[in-house]
Amino acid sequence: MTAELVRGQNHTLPQTRLEIRVSAGTPVVAGATLGDERGTVRGVEWIAHPGSPQLPGLEVSQQAAADHRLAVDLEALPAGAHRVTVLLALPVGVGGPARFGAVPAPFVAVTGLDGAEIATFTLTGLDAESAVSALELYRRQDAWKVRAVGQGYAGGLAEMLADQGLAESAGLAGSIQDAVTRGLARTVAPPPPRTPEGDRVRHATGSADHRPPTPTPPPAPEPPEPLTDPAATTPAHPSQPHTAPGPAAAGPTGDGPINYAHPRRQHAAPPSPPPTAPPAQPGQPAQPVAGDATGWSMDERLYNQIWGMFEDLARAVAAYRSAVDFAESRMDQELDRALSDPRNRIGGAGDRAREAARAKRDELTSRAREALDRDLAQLAAESAVVEPALPAAYAAWGNPVWHAHRVPMEIPMALRIGDLHLPERTELRIPLLVRLPLERGIWVDSGRTASEAAALMDTDQLRRLAMETAVAHAARLLAVYPPGEFAVHVIDPAGSAAGPLAPLVTAGVLAGPPAAGPGGVASVLAHLTRRVDLVQMAVRAGAADSLPPDLDTGEQLLVVNDFPHGFDDRAVTQLRYLADEGPSVGVHLLMVADREEASAYGPILDPLWRSLLRITPVADSHLADPWVGHAWTYEPLAIPPGSRVLEDVLAAVAAARRAAGR
């Protein structure tokens, strides 16, 4: 029976290999400290946190997330460790909530490796605190117990660590928050919440919903969604802690259908129902149909459907991996039990025990794989239906919709900037959509250390490919905005990108010739900085009609090649200003840069890199999702070999501008 603890209450732990699950409703930092008999932390080497997630017998998540799983083996802790304290803290400097009183009460559960809950604790009554000691596991007379603590600290991590006797608490707290900020900068953020109607439920054969499965020793980070800002989402009801959120294929203990609806997934109720598939034959999964999510328009339905597919794939794979981990853990336990009896260590009894344990492991793994294959087949069938139905903004370059493209009269909800996939089925690609207008800039990483694929390429070839990627994204943005409502500026200090920029220059769709040399860099940056200043002042004063008549109020994109070449200190400061203040008033960055080449500026540029969404010109597994923290492989959109789709689209943009007199 699960013990539901209140603050100060304790409960005896029946086993020493445990999992601690955290469900917070908003991204939080999860860590743990080891204490001696007096509860004192002896040094930083006794603290597990995102920057240093592993200690003997203890492992925590490597990023901030709404859900966490911490793995604990009390028998493997360092000698002298008598206490494990689980810490939660709100990330700082990422635009999220600054106190626990502004977020749902965090829920913590201590479970066995089979997922069975031993004790739970809901941290109520928090207000101005930004860090909290949630619970502690402590040794008492050769037995381990768990105690609900719930002690909050308005001074954050530094105050909490100092309270546990750590002398260098402020420095460590700062390094933890830096590691968290870097982790959040690589997550894919979810679509904005909508009203709670129309949750998308994926059906496998049969019908019944299952509580999110439980199990797996190794902790996994939490997942994300569409690329926008660092923001994770998510938990379900506190009684359903999920960290590897999702359906366990159904886990090692279930073999029925799974409800993949995200607990916080919400959509706007449309004025009319979305398309529905024909009724499925008994025992067969429903036939997929494009636009089966809710929304006010087909574009919104497709947008919601794509991100529903993203969630479903994330959770299906998380469930499979969780089930495999559980099977491995169960086999280890059975082998430990069997071989702990000296009579089984010799002769055939030990061999039979090993064979039986491995056979059970293989059976559980096989069942999990069958469930995963079934779910992936359903997703692949849905993808095959959805992909041809996508509008140009959501479509790949090879989609025929681009050949008949006409510049629209209003902007779409989002823009496709690449594809995402997981190693369990690499051919199943999910479009990566970012909301429009852009909420953060984009950085195309041209460094050879960016990924394994990049390391194998020639430096000049990689830089050219990165610039071609930036040009393709600029062309897509121009193509999906109404005529004259989107302008593209280019800074190419050394003139090294003349080849990749040729399609934009030839079509005549740039706001001006690519700026070269220090003078050109200064001129473009001054122009866009002035625009940001004027629009901000007009908005604050409520005097939008007082803007100068020569000011272009449309969205502006600045493409920067080969940063930081050609940039002096003043130019770098202006660029940082545009990255921070520009998106809110319609000025966006698209940078092609190798971070190592800008290392001479030191940490002054760290906020710039964190503010931009990093993508690569070649495939790379650097994006995380906000639910289960999978490392997704990003695939840039490729123009089919020999195709003139880019030139044709830019010609259509130029023609639409001329027709509109722009």
Side-chain angles (χ1 to χ4, degrees):
M1 172 181 273
T2 303
E4 298 183 2
L5 305 179
V6 297
R7 188 174 276 107
Q9 186 178 0
N10 60 41
H11 181 73
T12 301
L13 295 172
Q15 58 202 79
T16 56
R17 296 181 67 186
L18 306 164
E19 190 172 84
I20 298 173
R21 301 187 170 205
V22 178
S23 183
T26 190
V28 297
V29 182
T33 62
L34 303 180
D36 58 18
E37 297 93 330
R38 297 183 299 276
T40 302
V41 179
R42 294 182 178 176
V44 294
E45 67 277 5
W46 270 27
I47 302 176
H49 56 83
S52 178
Q54 292 183 329
L55 295 178
L58 182 61
E59 188 172 359
V60 303
S61 303
Q62 298 185 47
Q63 67 182 52
D67 302 304
H68 291 271
R69 288 186 300 181
L70 286 66
V72 181
D73 184 349
L74 297 172
E75 293 181 349
L77 295 176
H82 289 254
R83 184 174 303 181
V84 179
T85 304
V86 177
L87 314 176
L88 304 178
L90 294 169
V92 298
V94 296
R99 59 188 186 91
F100 275 107
V103 303
F107 173 81
V108 184
V110 180
T111 75
L113 296 185
D114 59 355
E117 290 180 350
I118 299 169
T120 64
F121 176 41
T122 302
L123 285 78
T124 57
L126 298 175
D127 186 13
E129 299 88 345
S130 60
V132 60
S133 295
L135 53 78
E136 63 182 14
L137 314 178
Y138 63 98
R139 193 200 306 266
R140 178 65 54 85
Q141 296 178 347
D142 296 328
W144 284 91
K145 295 185 176 183
V146 56
R147 176 187 291 122
V149 180
Q151 174 65 52
Y153 297 85
L157 268 175
E159 181 183 355
M160 179 165 55
L161 294 173
D163 191 44
Q164 296 189 31
L166 186 68
E168 55 269 48
S169 59
L172 179 60
S175 65
I176 292 174
Q177 293 291 3
D178 286 345
V180 169
T181 304
R182 289 194 299 271
L184 285 175
R186 54 182 286 274
T187 61
V188 197
R194 307 182 191 281
T195 57
E197 298 194 18
D199 279 349
R200 161 196 171 87
V201 178
R202 187 160 305 287
H203 299 283
T205 54
S207 61
D209 295 340
H210 287 254
R211 171 175 174 159
T214 46
T216 152
E222 302 321 319
E225 279 191 72
L227 287 175
T228 25
D229 299 32
T233 53
T234 76
H237 187 275
S239 66
Q240 295 179 323
H242 52 285
T243 21
T253 57
D255 51 1
I258 296 134
N259 180 347
Y260 283 100
H262 189 281
R264 294 280 175 99
R265 192 151 148 216
Q266 301 170 334
H267 306 297
S272 58
T276 56
Q281 296 297 320
Q284 297 296 321
Q287 295 301 309
V289 61
D292 74 344
T294 55
W296 290 94
S297 65
M298 179 55 76
D299 280 6
E300 185 175 6
R301 291 171 182 170
L302 287 168
Y303 174 84
N304 290 332
Q305 184 174 14
I306 287 170
W307 286 112
M309 294 165 61
F310 178 80
E311 293 180 25
D312 292 348
L313 179 56
R315 294 174 183 282
V317 170
Y320 167 71
R321 294 178 182 177
S322 177
V324 170
D325 288 343
F326 173 81
E328 293 287 347
S329 173
R330 177 169 176 166
M331 181 185 72
D332 291 342
Q333 286 181 314
E334 291 178 352
L335 288 175
D336 289 344
R337 275 197 303 269
L339 298 179
S340 63
D341 186 346
R343 294 171 297 179
N344 291 337
R345 295 177 187 171
I346 58 175
D351 293 338
R352 287 192 296 273
R354 279 188 285 269
E355 290 175 3
R358 289 174 182 139
K360 185 62 175 177
R361 185 270 315 272
D362 293 343
E363 177 191 354
L364 292 174
T365 302
S366 175
R367 286 169 52 193
R369 185 71 212 195
E370 288 175 5
L372 175 66
D373 288 343
R374 180 193 65 217
D375 297 332
L376 294 184
Q378 181 75 358
L379 279 169
E382 184 172 14
S383 178
V385 171
V386 169
E387 192 71 41
L390 295 178
Y394 301 175
W397 284 116
N399 192 312
V401 70
W402 279 107
H403 295 289
H405 178 65
R406 295 292 179 271
V407 178
M409 298 309 295
E410 59 182 26
I411 68 170
M413 285 186 63
L415 182 73
R416 184 173 184 168
I417 63 168
D419 292 330
L420 299 172
H421 64 82
L422 292 171
E424 279 73 10
R425 181 170 292 188
T426 57
E427 69 275 14
L428 178 56
R429 308 292 175 89
I430 305 296
L432 177 58
L433 306 179
V434 293
R435 289 299 296 262
L436 294 179
L438 293 172
E439 296 171 349
R440 64 193 294 198
I442 297 175
W443 163 31
V444 184
D445 192 346
S446 60
R448 294 188 66 231
T449 59
S451 68
E452 293 182 7
L456 300 175
M457 298 183 68
D458 174 78
T459 300
D460 292 337
Q461 179 188 9
L462 186 61
R463 287 178 176 172
R464 180 182 179 89
L465 188 57
M467 194 59 193
E468 289 174 350
T469 300
V471 167
H473 287 314
R476 290 176 75 88
L477 285 162
L478 284 166
V480 300
Y481 269 81
E485 292 191 17
F486 195 88
V488 176
H489 308 261
V490 175
I491 289 179
D492 183 21
S496 59
L501 287 171
L504 295 174
V505 174
T506 303
V509 293
L510 294 178
V521 172
S523 175
V524 171
L525 290 176
H527 169 73
L528 292 176
T529 301
R530 171 179 176 268
R531 183 195 181 282
V532 171
D533 289 340
L534 290 175
V535 174
Q536 282 186 336
M537 287 189 291
V539 170
R540 289 167 185 160
D545 55 351
S546 64
L547 288 169
D550 63 334
L551 188 75
D552 183 0
T553 56
E555 300 281 312
Q556 311 286 309
L557 178 72
L558 173 58
V559 181
V560 179
N561 180 46
D562 218 11
F563 176 82
H565 298 301
F567 281 73
D568 57 19
D569 290 347
R570 176 178 172 80
V572 169
T573 301
Q574 289 177 311
L575 194 68
R576 284 189 54 188
Y577 176 72
L578 293 178
D580 293 338
E581 304 294 333
S584 63
V585 290
V587 176
H588 314 283
L589 291 184
L590 177 53
M591 290 183 55
V592 177
D594 178 356
R595 185 170 183 172
E596 287 194 355
E597 293 187 354
S599 59
Y601 285 94
I604 191 174
L605 287 181
D606 286 350
L608 173 64
W609 304 121
R610 289 197 296 265
S611 70
L612 303 173
L613 169 63
R614 175 179 172 259
I615 60 175
T616 52
V618 293
D620 183 36
S621 303
H622 69 280
L623 292 174
D625 67 68
W627 305 291
V628 285
H630 293 317
W632 291 78
T633 297
Y634 167 78
E635 290 274 358
L637 296 175
I639 296 175
S643 172
R644 290 190 53 81
V645 62
L646 181 63
E647 290 79 3
D648 293 344
V649 166
L650 290 175
V653 170
R657 287 185 171 185
R658 289 193 296 270
R662 301 298 181 94

